[in-house]
Amino acid sequence: MEPLSTRPVVTELRLSAFAAHRGGAFPLGPVTLFAGPSGSGKSSVLRAYEALAALAAGAELAEVFPEPACCVPESARGDAQGRRGFRIGCTVSGPAGPVRLDLAVQAEPELRIAGERLTCGDRVLLSTALRDPGRGHVQAAWHTGGAAAVTRAPFPGELLGTALLPLRVAGRTDGQRQVLAAAEQMVVALRSVFPCDPQPSRMRAPVRPGDGRLLPGCDNLAAVLHRTRHECARRHARLTSMARAGCAGTVSGVGTEELADGLVRAVIDRSESEGADSGAGTPLGRLGDGELRFLAMALVLLTGPGVLSVDQAAEVPGALQSLTVVADGFDRCLDPGQAAGLAALAASICAEGHLRLVGAVSGDGAFARELEGVAVVDLCRDGTGREDTATTAGGVRRGP
């Protein structure tokens, strides 16, 4: 296994002014669960993470923020031109050192990037600023370190500048190579995200085998089990063990059944002998919502990047990447025992370094607080990240 330091990972998420959060800075470990009642801002934290991931993968602002006004802090006042916006960012640790990205987005009157800054230590590697609101671009400046200390050029106002740097920087000088290393580290860490929210209502019907890559809603759970049950006996044995702990009754196996019409359905074997024909088992469609979500999340954690439907950086070896599962409602429909078992599995898997988990849980997350390797952030109790309603966001800054 590669040392963790060789894998770029997001180690901090910042919501400087985003939805209900102001001045939020959240350290992220191998497993980080955000807790709190409805309205505490858990989903907003995950939404900001997913937004940064999508932008790093090259998505346009309008695609990432279809309702940008909802991201602006409620108490934020516009400037003289009526402009309001929000600010988010993150830090990625890896071979290039801790690299920080800060992004200011103008949401009103029109959606566009107002400013971006990429830094490593005390050095600003990239900065962009909205100089002329009448134009569709921002002015970018990045570190060169050669005869000219800085290179300047216009960047599109709807794309993340950091993701564009590998296409713009030649890498001829030490300074340019530092810029490229930092940008690539940021992009690799951010784009390797699998948003997961199992939907039991979509998991009950038989499906076609397909390519065996698990979808974010786990609609094709049966197809993935059909592929993976023979690929790794140890991994499948762990899934069966999880099914025993999280499903009612006696469980001796988890498998699939091929139907006459070419479809497959997932089944749980409730026979007394291990390894009996799973075709005689109970279809997963008969299980409760909690059991289905439990099994789906366990499969996500046990399968990893090779099975999950995620677009990782193809130019970077898999051993040097770490996939982050983002799970809103991690414990939704689960009883405390199921939630604790799933969190313990996450801690065990994520300790190996190739997978990380950022999730939101209901209540105070008590089921996971005593687990080694799991950090629970209570947004209400800790008092971090929530907006101070007596303070305004003061509009959008023109630079990060």
Side-chain angles (χ1 to χ4, degrees), residues 3 10 26 44 82 105 128 135 141 164 170 185 202 213 220 224-225 271 291 299 320 326 349 390 393:
V10 179
F26 308 107
S44 295
V105 178
T128 73
R135 296 182 179 272
L164 299 176
Q185 177 170 295
R202 303 178 189 172
R213 290 173 63 84
N220 61 336
V224 174
L225 280 174
S271 62
E291 292 173 307
L299 183 63
L320 301 183
V326 177
I349 295 294

Side-chain angles (χ1 to χ4, degrees), residues 148 269 347 396:
D269 186 2
V396 180

Side-chain angles (χ1 to χ4, degrees), residues 96-100 117-126 143 178:
V99 179
R100 176 179 173 124
R117 180 170 293 174
L118 184 73
T119 58
C120 184
D122 296 330
R123 173 163 287 170
V124 177
L125 302 178
L126 167 72
H143 177 63
Q178 183 184 16

Side-chain angles (χ1 to χ4, degrees), residues 87-110:
R87 300 193 304 275
I88 56 178
C90 66
T91 298
V92 168
S93 296
V99 179
R100 176 179 173 124
L101 172 67
D102 294 287
L103 182 67
V105 178
Q106 175 185 294
E108 298 171 346
E110 61 179 337

Side-chain angles (χ1 to χ4, degrees), residues 163-334:
L164 299 176
L165 284 174
L167 304 175
R168 298 293 189 98
V169 180
R172 295 192 182 96
T173 68
D174 289 342
Q176 289 177 341
R177 286 189 284 272
Q178 183 184 16
V179 170
L180 283 175
E184 289 170 355
Q185 177 170 295
M186 180 64 64
V187 169
V188 167
L190 279 175
R191 67 182 287 186
S192 301
V193 164
F194 182 71
C196 180
D197 186 10
Q199 301 294 315
S201 62
R202 303 178 189 172
M203 295 161 56
R204 290 190 161 90
V207 298
R208 298 199 177 280
D211 62 1
R213 290 173 63 84
L214 192 64
L215 299 174
C218 301
D219 313 31
N220 61 336
L221 176 72
V224 174
L225 280 174
H226 187 67
R227 167 194 166 183
T228 61
R229 59 179 301 208
H230 301 297
E231 289 185 354
C232 180
R234 187 176 73 88
R235 181 172 58 192
H236 193 76
R238 292 189 71 179
L239 180 64
T240 298
S241 178
M242 292 297 293
R244 289 195 191 99
C247 297
T250 301
V251 175
S252 59
V254 179
T256 58
E257 177 185 7
E258 297 185 23
L259 304 179
D261 55 5
L263 302 181
V264 296
R265 66 179 178 185
V267 296
I268 281 188
D269 186 2
R270 298 189 185 280
S271 62
E272 294 184 0
S273 59
E274 180 82 30
D277 181 13
S278 63
T282 302
L284 258 62
R286 299 183 67 89
L287 302 184
D289 285 2
E291 292 173 307
L292 282 173
R293 282 186 62 88
F294 177 86
L295 282 175
M297 285 301 306
L299 183 63
V300 167
L301 295 168
L302 287 166
T303 52
V307 176
L308 306 181
S309 182
V310 59
D311 180 25
Q312 288 191 282
E315 64 276 14
V316 180
L320 301 183
Q321 298 189 53
S322 182
L323 175 67
T324 298
V325 175
V326 177
D328 199 0
F330 176 79
D331 62 339
R332 187 182 305 136
C333 300
L334 306 185

